[in-house]
Structure formats: C-alpha cells, structure tokens
Amino acid sequence: MSGQADTRSASPGAEIAPRCRLSARINIRLLVLLAPISLLIALFLILPIAIMFNRALTGEDVIAAYVEVLRSPVYTTVFLTTLKISALTTIITLLLGYPVAFALRFGRPRYRAIVLMLIVLPYWLDFIVRSYSWMILLGRKGIVNELLIWIGVIDRPVKLLYSLGSVVTGMVQIMLPMMILTLFAAMLRIDARLMDAASIHGASRWRSFARVFLPLSLPGVYGASLLVFVTALGFYITPALLGGTSETMISQSMLLLASELLDWKTASIAGTLLLFVTSILVLVYNRLFSIDRLWGGS
Amino acid sequence: MGTYKITFSMNLLVGLVLFFLLFPVLVVVAISFSSAEFLTFPPPGLSLRWYEEIFSSYDWVNAFWITIKVGLLTALISVVLGVPAAFAIIRHSFFGKDMFNALILAALITPPIIKAMSIYLFYVELGLNNTIFGLALAHTVSGVPFVVINTAASLKSYDVNLERAACVHGASPLRSVLVITLPVIWAGVLVGAVFAFMQSAQELIVSIFVLGTVNRPLAVKLWEGVQVSTDPSIAAASTVLIGVAILSFLMVVLIKRRDGSLAP
C-alpha cells in the first residue's frame, strides 16, 4: 500500500528502472506469487469440501434428509449444546481476558514481556495434554476434590468431570490465550492521546475508561469473541475427554456418524450446517475488521 | 497521564488467570515423574519408569518420528507457498484481495472435522491416504496462514528502500529479494514455520482420517492412550511434548528478541 506511494519520493529526481518498481501492475509477477497458495487451498480445501457435499447432497431425498436431521431431537440437541458451550466459553474468556489484556496494554514493558510470555506458553501445548491435565485435576481423587474436602465445603468427593462445568473449564483454558492476544493487539491500536485529552478536560479515570477507552475497544472485543466462538464450534478433543453424553458437540456426532456408523450422508448434512454457521461468522468478521488486521494493518 | 493505573485487584486477577493457565501443565509434568501406577497428585514418590517405558516402546518412538516428518514437511511447504503470498498482500493491491484474505481465514478456521472428512474422501480417489506426504499437504492448508500472517507482519515494517537500492545497483528483482530482503525478514518467516509445525504436530482429527490407525503420529497415539490407560506413561509422553513446545517457544522468543520486537 505505502510501497506504491513512495516509489518516486524515495529517490527524488531519479527514475527507478522499471523492473525495480515494486508496484507492478496486475501481471505475471502477481500470478507467480499468488497461484501456488491459491492452488493449494482450492485443491485441498475447497474442492474436497465441494465434492463431499455434492456427493452426499445430490439425489431426490436431500430435502427429506435435511428435514429429518433438523427434526430429530438428537441432532437439534447436539446443535444447541454446541452453541451453548461455545457461547459460554466465549463469554467467560472475554470476562477473564479483557482485564488481562487491559493490564498488558498499560503495563510497563518488562511486566508486559513477562506476562505475555507466560500467557503464550500454554498456547504451545497439545489440546490433548491440556484436556488430560483437567482429567487429573478434576477426577474423584483429584486435587480439586481433595482441596474442597480439606476446606470443608464437601465431606466426600463429588463428580466434577464429565459435566458442562468441566468442558467449559477446559475450553476456557485452551481459548484464553487467543482471546487475550487478540484483545491486546486491538487495544494497542487505541491512541493513548485520546485518554490524555479526556483527562485534561477533567474526566476521571473511570469516566475516561467508560466513555473513551471502552467504546474504542469494542471492535476488538467483537473480533476476538467471534474468533473464539468460531474456533469453539469445531471443538472435538475437549468435550470428548471432559464431557458426558449431554455435552456432546457437533464434531463428535459427525465423527461418530462417519467413522463408526458409516453414515456419511447424515454426517455431511450436519457438516453443511456447521460450515454454514462458520462461513457466515467468517464473512461478518472479514466485513467488520478485514483480516488485514492479522498482519498488523491499522 | 492518559494511561491508566494497574490496580492491585487487577494484578491479582492477572495472577489468577496465569495460575489457571499454567497450573494444569505443572500437574502433568509432576505426575510424569510419579512412581505410582495410577494418577494421583501430588505423586507419592519419584521415578523415571514412565520415561523408560515410552522411550523403549517402538510405538512411541515411531509416532514421534512420524510427527517430526509430517511437521517438517508441512512447515517447508507452508514457507514455500506462504512467503510469496505475503509479498503479494503487502506490496500489491489486486482485484479480489478481500476474497483472497477471506480464503486464508477460511483455511485457518474451517472446523477440523469438515477438513478431515472431505480430505479423506478426496484422498480415496487420489490414493493419498496413508501417506506422509498426503497428511503434510492436508496440514499445510491449516499451517500456511501462520506463515502468511507472520511474514506479512515482518514485511510491513521492512524498509523497501534497501531492496530498491540493490535493484538499482544492478541486482535482479528476485536476487534483491533473496539476498537483501529475506535475511532481514527471516525471523518472521521462521516464526510462521514454527507455528505451522506445531499446528501439524497437534492436529488430531485429520491425522486419524488420513493415516488410519496403522501409522500413528504422536497426537493420535496420545489420543488413544488418554482413552484407555490410567497410568502416567501418557503424562511422560505429554511432558516430552511440553519440552519440545517450550524449546520451540524459547526459539521463537529468542528470534523475536534478536529481531527487536517481543510482541507476538
């Protein structure tokens, strides 16, 4: 973008040899740069999905099959559970993540570096390992039960695992770094001079937060929440390990249908619905923020 | 002025969140050194028996190698395809750029189960199921966005005049990029490659579908282990992974520090 603007100003008086210009028109160079990755995504993401849906969803009884899936209490329950767990995860990560991102935004550089490092660290650990650690902690003989008994809240171990609580706990732990980092990146873009202006004009800290910082941070809040929500929709490992039958999420149903019941048709129908919701959210995200933001566009 | 003070209660919350994020990890590490046959925390005694068990097991060692092979291949292809794309995104404006951006985002967040089922059916036709290369290609779809994002971020803060200077002095455009630009932005590229590798190493569902249960990468082996076994050998395998993760993480931090930017 800026590369085009300063092609000339960079070397006043001297015309840069045409081959050295960075702002080539739409040409072969662009094609060479973009074709390989586009081909990969087209061939190994778009085409397979198109083939799968096309195969599963052609035929006379497609409408009937959709109606059957949508009317079956099993699948509607799974869909609703998926939405519920994803929404809960998003809300809790947001409530925990916002203050942390805020502290990072206004912390001193050293504080910022250390906290960031500790937040990113668990991001590198396998989902399986992180979910597994909750199995240890929340089990009947786990440390949480022992602690509750020791404090005297309960007098014998209670069932903590295989519940909505344990699934959401596990998913919140996994998604928190993503939420915090995305919020933090958005908060960095808020110009600190605006808060200066507010306080010069007599606003208290609270008032300048509520009237200046908070509203300006809202786009980041929406963006981060959308990203976390969409990722949560596709979760498989955590609900499978930490949830009971009533916490079954859509990915689990699809995997069961496809690999054990060999019912690819129903699995694909569930898949189109999942993909539909995901795509809408991705489009909304791209519309609102444009993923330019991901590489530091302002 | 203008900036806000970080209050004690806010610091307390930050501390609690960090504890919540890190404590479970410490538990896994502690249990891997347990002498007991079952999962209790804190462990009753210390031993290395679970490490001996996994390192003497052909299955575990083999799984480790499969993960490394698939991961390196994924990282390599991601770099080859992702770096040029980052140049296009940062340096050029072109028709359909928004759509291209959406495509990258879609590659990143299409639910794994949909990727897995569709790629499996597709590979049945191509005969790519049960191949390392096939799995690496499937993983590259999810890995390449990380390379694009990180390279683009580095390119954004790169001073193009360096490259122009080389070009004006007679280097070919390609040579100016390879000799002048790449050495400056390599940190971003490498960080992207490490992300792509980790993404591949942690991916479960596509691996299950594409490799079946004959060839198991580490994630699949862990997954099966978590479901059947209640002894700490899984914790030991996890700790090895944690070690790998921390090493690659430190690598990224060091690279970023040399690069002069600590923010991810």
Side-chain angles (χ1 to χ4, degrees), chain A residues 69-96:
Chain A
V69 167
L70 287 173
R71 285 178 67 177
S72 135
V74 180
Y75 296 113
T76 40
T77 309
V78 169
F79 270 113
L80 289 178
T81 310
T82 306
L83 292 176
K84 179 177 74 183
I85 292 177
S86 304
L88 274 174
T89 303
T90 309
I91 292 168
I92 297 173
T93 47
L94 180 61
L95 291 179
L96 290 176

mmCIF file of all heavy atoms in Angstrom, chain A residues 69-96:
data_model
loop_
_atom_site.group_PDB
_atom_site.id
_atom_site.type_symbol
_atom_site.label_atom_id
_atom_site.label_comp_id
_atom_site.label_asym_id
_atom_site.label_seq_id
_atom_site.Cartn_x
_atom_site.Cartn_y
_atom_site.Cartn_z
ATOM 1 N N VAL A 69 -32.891 -34.559 9.736
ATOM 2 C CA VAL A 69 -31.845 -34.155 10.677
ATOM 3 C C VAL A 69 -32.326 -33.021 11.574
ATOM 4 O O VAL A 69 -32.137 -33.034 12.783
ATOM 5 C CB VAL A 69 -30.565 -33.727 9.910
ATOM 6 C CG1 VAL A 69 -29.593 -33.021 10.834
ATOM 7 C CG2 VAL A 69 -29.911 -34.945 9.286
ATOM 8 N N LEU A 70 -32.991 -32.036 10.921
ATOM 9 C CA LEU A 70 -33.406 -30.865 11.688
ATOM 10 C C LEU A 70 -34.535 -31.173 12.662
ATOM 11 O O LEU A 70 -34.689 -30.504 13.686
ATOM 12 C CB LEU A 70 -33.825 -29.736 10.741
ATOM 13 C CG LEU A 70 -32.649 -29.056 10.026
ATOM 14 C CD1 LEU A 70 -33.141 -28.080 8.979
ATOM 15 C CD2 LEU A 70 -31.754 -28.332 11.038
ATOM 16 N N ARG A 71 -35.332 -32.194 12.343
ATOM 17 C CA ARG A 71 -36.445 -32.517 13.234
ATOM 18 C C ARG A 71 -36.066 -33.541 14.286
ATOM 19 O O ARG A 71 -36.790 -33.719 15.267
ATOM 20 C CB ARG A 71 -37.630 -33.028 12.415
ATOM 21 C CG ARG A 71 -38.332 -31.887 11.697
ATOM 22 C CD ARG A 71 -39.456 -32.374 10.853
ATOM 23 N NE ARG A 71 -40.540 -32.913 11.679
ATOM 24 C CZ ARG A 71 -41.687 -33.357 11.168
ATOM 25 N NH1 ARG A 71 -41.866 -33.350 9.875
ATOM 26 N NH2 ARG A 71 -42.621 -33.814 11.955
ATOM 27 N N SER A 72 -34.948 -34.231 14.038
ATOM 28 C CA SER A 72 -34.557 -35.244 15.013
ATOM 29 C C SER A 72 -34.076 -34.575 16.300
ATOM 30 O O SER A 72 -33.190 -33.722 16.265
ATOM 31 C CB SER A 72 -33.452 -36.113 14.422
ATOM 32 O OG SER A 72 -32.441 -36.296 15.365
ATOM 33 N N PRO A 73 -34.684 -34.933 17.422
ATOM 34 C CA PRO A 73 -34.301 -34.306 18.685
ATOM 35 C C PRO A 73 -32.821 -34.511 19.011
ATOM 36 O O PRO A 73 -32.192 -33.658 19.618
ATOM 37 C CB PRO A 73 -35.207 -34.979 19.718
ATOM 38 C CG PRO A 73 -35.811 -36.155 19.040
ATOM 39 C CD PRO A 73 -35.744 -35.924 17.570
ATOM 40 N N VAL A 74 -32.256 -35.639 18.561
ATOM 41 C CA VAL A 74 -30.840 -35.905 18.849
ATOM 42 C C VAL A 74 -29.968 -34.788 18.289
ATOM 43 O O VAL A 74 -29.151 -34.207 18.995
ATOM 44 C CB VAL A 74 -30.385 -37.250 18.233
ATOM 45 C CG1 VAL A 74 -28.913 -37.505 18.550
ATOM 46 C CG2 VAL A 74 -31.261 -38.380 18.714
ATOM 47 N N TYR A 75 -30.145 -34.476 16.979
ATOM 48 C CA TYR A 75 -29.260 -33.511 16.352
ATOM 49 C C TYR A 75 -29.546 -32.090 16.793
ATOM 50 O O TYR A 75 -28.630 -31.305 16.969
ATOM 51 C CB TYR A 75 -29.313 -33.653 14.825
ATOM 52 C CG TYR A 75 -28.798 -34.992 14.407
ATOM 53 C CD1 TYR A 75 -29.627 -35.942 13.837
ATOM 54 C CD2 TYR A 75 -27.474 -35.340 14.661
ATOM 55 C CE1 TYR A 75 -29.159 -37.199 13.498
ATOM 56 C CE2 TYR A 75 -26.993 -36.589 14.332
ATOM 57 C CZ TYR A 75 -27.841 -37.520 13.743
ATOM 58 O OH TYR A 75 -27.365 -38.754 13.437
ATOM 59 N N THR A 76 -30.831 -31.750 16.968
ATOM 60 C CA THR A 76 -31.099 -30.379 17.437
ATOM 61 C C THR A 76 -30.479 -30.176 18.813
ATOM 62 O O THR A 76 -29.928 -29.121 19.100
ATOM 63 C CB THR A 76 -32.610 -30.068 17.483
ATOM 64 O OG1 THR A 76 -33.282 -31.208 17.970
ATOM 65 C CG2 THR A 76 -33.140 -29.706 16.112
ATOM 66 N N THR A 77 -30.562 -31.213 19.649
ATOM 67 C CA THR A 77 -29.943 -31.089 20.975
ATOM 68 C C THR A 77 -28.443 -30.868 20.849
ATOM 69 O O THR A 77 -27.870 -29.989 21.504
ATOM 70 C CB THR A 77 -30.196 -32.357 21.817
ATOM 71 O OG1 THR A 77 -31.587 -32.642 21.781
ATOM 72 C CG2 THR A 77 -29.739 -32.168 23.246
ATOM 73 N N VAL A 78 -27.800 -31.666 19.973
ATOM 74 C CA VAL A 78 -26.351 -31.526 19.798
ATOM 75 C C VAL A 78 -26.002 -30.137 19.277
ATOM 76 O O VAL A 78 -25.066 -29.494 19.768
ATOM 77 C CB VAL A 78 -25.811 -32.623 18.850
ATOM 78 C CG1 VAL A 78 -24.370 -32.328 18.457
ATOM 79 C CG2 VAL A 78 -25.905 -33.983 19.511
ATOM 80 N N PHE A 79 -26.775 -29.646 18.318
ATOM 81 C CA PHE A 79 -26.534 -28.299 17.791
ATOM 82 C C PHE A 79 -26.646 -27.252 18.889
ATOM 83 O O PHE A 79 -25.784 -26.390 19.036
ATOM 84 C CB PHE A 79 -27.516 -27.965 16.663
ATOM 85 C CG PHE A 79 -27.006 -28.350 15.313
ATOM 86 C CD1 PHE A 79 -27.620 -29.354 14.585
ATOM 87 C CD2 PHE A 79 -25.897 -27.726 14.772
ATOM 88 C CE1 PHE A 79 -27.138 -29.730 13.341
ATOM 89 C CE2 PHE A 79 -25.409 -28.099 13.526
ATOM 90 C CZ PHE A 79 -26.036 -29.108 12.812
ATOM 91 N N LEU A 80 -27.736 -27.354 19.646
ATOM 92 C CA LEU A 80 -27.941 -26.366 20.702
ATOM 93 C C LEU A 80 -26.842 -26.449 21.753
ATOM 94 O O LEU A 80 -26.342 -25.434 22.227
ATOM 95 C CB LEU A 80 -29.320 -26.559 21.352
ATOM 96 C CG LEU A 80 -30.490 -26.157 20.443
ATOM 97 C CD1 LEU A 80 -31.820 -26.419 21.124
ATOM 98 C CD2 LEU A 80 -30.372 -24.675 20.069
ATOM 99 N N THR A 81 -26.439 -27.685 22.105
ATOM 100 C CA THR A 81 -25.352 -27.855 23.080
ATOM 101 C C THR A 81 -24.075 -27.205 22.568
ATOM 102 O O THR A 81 -23.370 -26.518 23.313
ATOM 103 C CB THR A 81 -25.078 -29.350 23.333
ATOM 104 O OG1 THR A 81 -26.315 -29.983 23.613
ATOM 105 C CG2 THR A 81 -24.119 -29.548 24.473
ATOM 106 N N THR A 82 -23.786 -27.429 21.260
ATOM 107 C CA THR A 82 -22.578 -26.849 20.666
ATOM 108 C C THR A 82 -22.605 -25.325 20.778
ATOM 109 O O THR A 82 -21.623 -24.699 21.189
ATOM 110 C CB THR A 82 -22.463 -27.263 19.189
ATOM 111 O OG1 THR A 82 -22.536 -28.683 19.114
ATOM 112 C CG2 THR A 82 -21.151 -26.789 18.588
ATOM 113 N N LEU A 83 -23.762 -24.740 20.433
ATOM 114 C CA LEU A 83 -23.885 -23.282 20.515
ATOM 115 C C LEU A 83 -23.748 -22.807 21.955
ATOM 116 O O LEU A 83 -23.061 -21.827 22.250
ATOM 117 C CB LEU A 83 -25.233 -22.827 19.937
ATOM 118 C CG LEU A 83 -25.406 -23.009 18.425
ATOM 119 C CD1 LEU A 83 -26.816 -22.619 18.002
ATOM 120 C CD2 LEU A 83 -24.377 -22.171 17.673
ATOM 121 N N LYS A 84 -24.386 -23.539 22.862
ATOM 122 C CA LYS A 84 -24.373 -23.138 24.277
ATOM 123 C C LYS A 84 -22.952 -23.174 24.840
ATOM 124 O O LYS A 84 -22.491 -22.206 25.459
ATOM 125 C CB LYS A 84 -25.287 -24.076 25.086
ATOM 126 C CG LYS A 84 -25.331 -23.759 26.573
ATOM 127 C CD LYS A 84 -26.317 -24.671 27.306
ATOM 128 C CE LYS A 84 -25.754 -26.073 27.463
ATOM 129 N NZ LYS A 84 -26.690 -27.008 28.086
ATOM 130 N N ILE A 85 -22.241 -24.298 24.618
ATOM 131 C CA ILE A 85 -20.886 -24.433 25.151
ATOM 132 C C ILE A 85 -19.961 -23.381 24.536
ATOM 133 O O ILE A 85 -19.169 -22.745 25.238
ATOM 134 C CB ILE A 85 -20.333 -25.861 24.896
ATOM 135 C CG1 ILE A 85 -21.123 -26.867 25.735
ATOM 136 C CG2 ILE A 85 -18.843 -25.945 25.211
ATOM 137 C CD1 ILE A 85 -20.717 -28.307 25.518
ATOM 138 N N SER A 86 -20.097 -23.146 23.215
ATOM 139 C CA SER A 86 -19.246 -22.152 22.564
ATOM 140 C C SER A 86 -19.521 -20.756 23.105
ATOM 141 O O SER A 86 -18.599 -19.969 23.332
ATOM 142 C CB SER A 86 -19.466 -22.166 21.049
ATOM 143 O OG SER A 86 -19.246 -23.463 20.551
ATOM 144 N N ALA A 87 -20.822 -20.447 23.310
ATOM 145 C CA ALA A 87 -21.175 -19.123 23.818
ATOM 146 C C ALA A 87 -20.640 -18.930 25.238
ATOM 147 O O ALA A 87 -20.045 -17.890 25.553
ATOM 148 C CB ALA A 87 -22.686 -18.936 23.795
ATOM 149 N N LEU A 88 -20.836 -19.940 26.082
ATOM 150 C CA LEU A 88 -20.331 -19.844 27.464
ATOM 151 C C LEU A 88 -18.821 -19.640 27.475
ATOM 152 O O LEU A 88 -18.294 -18.792 28.194
ATOM 153 C CB LEU A 88 -20.664 -21.126 28.233
ATOM 154 C CG LEU A 88 -22.038 -21.209 28.899
ATOM 155 C CD1 LEU A 88 -22.253 -22.589 29.488
ATOM 156 C CD2 LEU A 88 -22.124 -20.144 29.992
ATOM 157 N N THR A 89 -18.122 -20.437 26.644
ATOM 158 C CA THR A 89 -16.667 -20.324 26.562
ATOM 159 C C THR A 89 -16.269 -18.912 26.146
ATOM 160 O O THR A 89 -15.369 -18.303 26.745
ATOM 161 C CB THR A 89 -16.114 -21.336 25.535
ATOM 162 O OG1 THR A 89 -16.542 -22.640 25.919
ATOM 163 C CG2 THR A 89 -14.601 -21.294 25.472
ATOM 164 N N THR A 90 -16.955 -18.378 25.131
ATOM 165 C CA THR A 90 -16.629 -17.047 24.633
ATOM 166 C C THR A 90 -16.834 -15.988 25.721
ATOM 167 O O THR A 90 -15.967 -15.141 25.954
ATOM 168 C CB THR A 90 -17.499 -16.696 23.413
ATOM 169 O OG1 THR A 90 -17.413 -17.763 22.476
ATOM 170 C CG2 THR A 90 -17.028 -15.413 22.762
ATOM 171 N N ILE A 91 -17.983 -16.058 26.400
ATOM 172 C CA ILE A 91 -18.285 -15.038 27.411
ATOM 173 C C ILE A 91 -17.273 -15.092 28.557
ATOM 174 O O ILE A 91 -16.743 -14.061 28.987
ATOM 175 C CB ILE A 91 -19.722 -15.242 27.946
ATOM 176 C CG1 ILE A 91 -20.728 -14.919 26.836
ATOM 177 C CG2 ILE A 91 -19.972 -14.350 29.161
ATOM 178 C CD1 ILE A 91 -22.135 -15.362 27.146
ATOM 179 N N ILE A 92 -16.973 -16.294 29.027
ATOM 180 C CA ILE A 92 -16.052 -16.396 30.165
ATOM 181 C C ILE A 92 -14.630 -15.977 29.763
ATOM 182 O O ILE A 92 -13.962 -15.255 30.506
ATOM 183 C CB ILE A 92 -16.067 -17.817 30.755
ATOM 184 C CG1 ILE A 92 -17.468 -18.113 31.303
ATOM 185 C CG2 ILE A 92 -15.030 -17.958 31.871
ATOM 186 C CD1 ILE A 92 -17.663 -19.530 31.759
ATOM 187 N N THR A 93 -14.165 -16.399 28.567
ATOM 188 C CA THR A 93 -12.819 -15.972 28.159
ATOM 189 C C THR A 93 -12.773 -14.454 28.003
ATOM 190 O O THR A 93 -11.777 -13.831 28.339
ATOM 191 C CB THR A 93 -12.357 -16.604 26.824
ATOM 192 O OG1 THR A 93 -13.401 -16.483 25.879
ATOM 193 C CG2 THR A 93 -11.969 -18.041 26.967
ATOM 194 N N LEU A 94 -13.885 -13.871 27.536
ATOM 195 C CA LEU A 94 -13.909 -12.419 27.377
ATOM 196 C C LEU A 94 -13.821 -11.719 28.740
ATOM 197 O O LEU A 94 -13.031 -10.788 28.929
ATOM 198 C CB LEU A 94 -15.182 -11.988 26.645
ATOM 199 C CG LEU A 94 -15.351 -10.480 26.414
ATOM 200 C CD1 LEU A 94 -14.210 -9.947 25.555
ATOM 201 C CD2 LEU A 94 -16.686 -10.173 25.760
ATOM 202 N N LEU A 95 -14.639 -12.206 29.700
ATOM 203 C CA LEU A 95 -14.649 -11.570 31.022
ATOM 204 C C LEU A 95 -13.298 -11.696 31.716
ATOM 205 O O LEU A 95 -12.838 -10.783 32.396
ATOM 206 C CB LEU A 95 -15.750 -12.177 31.893
ATOM 207 C CG LEU A 95 -17.187 -11.849 31.451
ATOM 208 C CD1 LEU A 95 -18.200 -12.520 32.358
ATOM 209 C CD2 LEU A 95 -17.394 -10.336 31.419
ATOM 210 N N LEU A 96 -12.643 -12.860 31.539
ATOM 211 C CA LEU A 96 -11.320 -13.039 32.157
ATOM 212 C C LEU A 96 -10.239 -12.341 31.340
ATOM 213 O O LEU A 96 -9.270 -11.804 31.892
ATOM 214 C CB LEU A 96 -10.975 -14.528 32.264
ATOM 215 C CG LEU A 96 -11.765 -15.373 33.268
ATOM 216 C CD1 LEU A 96 -11.360 -16.829 33.151
ATOM 217 C CD2 LEU A 96 -11.505 -14.873 34.682
#
